[in-house]
Amino acid sequence: YVLLGGHLDSWQGATGATDNATGVAVMMEAARILKALKLPLQRSIRLGLWSAEEQGLHGSRAYVKQHLADPADMKLKPEHGKITAYFNIDNGSGKVRGIYTQGNDMVRGVFAKWLEPFADLGATTVTNRNTGGTDHQAFDAVGVPGFQFIQDPLDYMARTHHSNMDTMDRVPKGDLMQMAAILASFAYHAANRQ
């Protein structure tokens, strides 16, 4: 299976719209798109909508420990061999501009090909750089390829991140639509890759 995820746990006295209700909404919309298109899938696509990311990735780490492996002893559970990849959104509500490979150079060309249809929407970057601080790290820790998308920062770090300004009026609908289309496409390709 392929797993898509985001977290839902507001940090301050606001609704948590950009951190990270938008990530959760995008994953749900990507799943809706795939269901509506009735595309054949060789693997299942699951959603992981985590809690307690802000407190230490507790939701995604609990899932990983229960279903995939305990990072303390690395004894793999049977489900570990069934997951292909984990894709995460958690950097605000700006458009996807690319993806971090987390140092996994083998996927660079694959991801570049998958992004080609979205070049006119500004999604072209594939970087081997790592990024941290979010749920894909729980999967990487046990050898499951976990990936985070690169997004337009908008006013995420300057204004909404962990502040009382993290509200729906900071969420551009068109950016979420672009993100959902890209996530649906990545999930489809990953689910059907040989």
Side-chain angles (χ1 to χ4, degrees):
Y1 65 94
V2 175
L3 187 59
L4 308 178
H7 75 275
L8 187 59
D9 59 346
S10 60
W11 180 260
Q12 297 290 340
T15 60
T18 69
D19 188 22
N20 182 39
T22 52
V24 169
V26 163
M27 296 309 173
M28 292 171 62
E29 177 62 5
R32 188 204 63 77
I33 289 168
L34 291 169
K35 184 170 174 63
L37 293 174
K38 299 179 182 173
L39 297 171
L41 300 172
Q42 293 179 19
R43 294 176 185 86
S44 298
I45 297 172
R46 295 182 183 175
L47 300 183
L49 308 178
W50 317 115
S51 63
E53 185 267 358
E54 301 292 356
Q55 291 75 36
L57 313 180
H58 293 305
S60 57
R61 284 182 174 159
Y63 178 91
V64 165
K65 188 174 181 180
Q66 181 177 353
H67 296 279
L68 304 174
D70 184 341
D73 62 23
M74 282 307 294
K75 290 182 183 171
L76 304 183
K77 299 184 185 275
E79 201 171 314
H80 189 282
K82 296 178 181 177
I83 185 169
T84 301
Y86 172 72
F87 295 105
N88 194 71
I89 287 281
D90 176 23
N91 286 127
S93 57
K95 288 182 180 179
V96 166
R97 295 302 184 185
I99 190 166
Y100 296 99
T101 69
Q102 296 302 115
N104 185 343
D105 196 45
M106 298 298 289
V107 297
R108 178 188 275 278
V110 173
F111 287 174
K113 200 81 170 145
W114 292 358
L115 279 177
E116 281 179 7
F118 303 102
D120 63 333
L121 298 177
T124 57
T125 301
V126 179
T127 179
N128 276 351
R129 289 183 32 212
N130 294 320
T131 187
T134 193
D135 292 298
H136 70 283
Q137 292 179 289
F139 296 87
D140 279 342
V142 297
V144 172
F147 305 101
Q148 170 69 26
F149 287 86
I150 302 165
Q151 294 173 255
D152 273 346
L154 301 179
D155 56 2
Y156 183 65
M157 292 306 284
R159 184 161 294 165
T160 65
H161 187 248
H162 296 182
S163 81
N164 63 357
M165 307 262 317
D166 190 359
T167 56
M168 282 301 295
D169 60 325
R170 303 278 179 193
V171 177
K173 181 180 176 184
D175 289 5
L176 296 187
M177 293 167 68
Q178 183 255 25
M179 292 190 314
I182 291 172
L183 264 293
S185 178
F186 264 68
Y188 170 79
H189 285 297
N192 288 310
R193 185 160 171 79
Q194 297 297 325

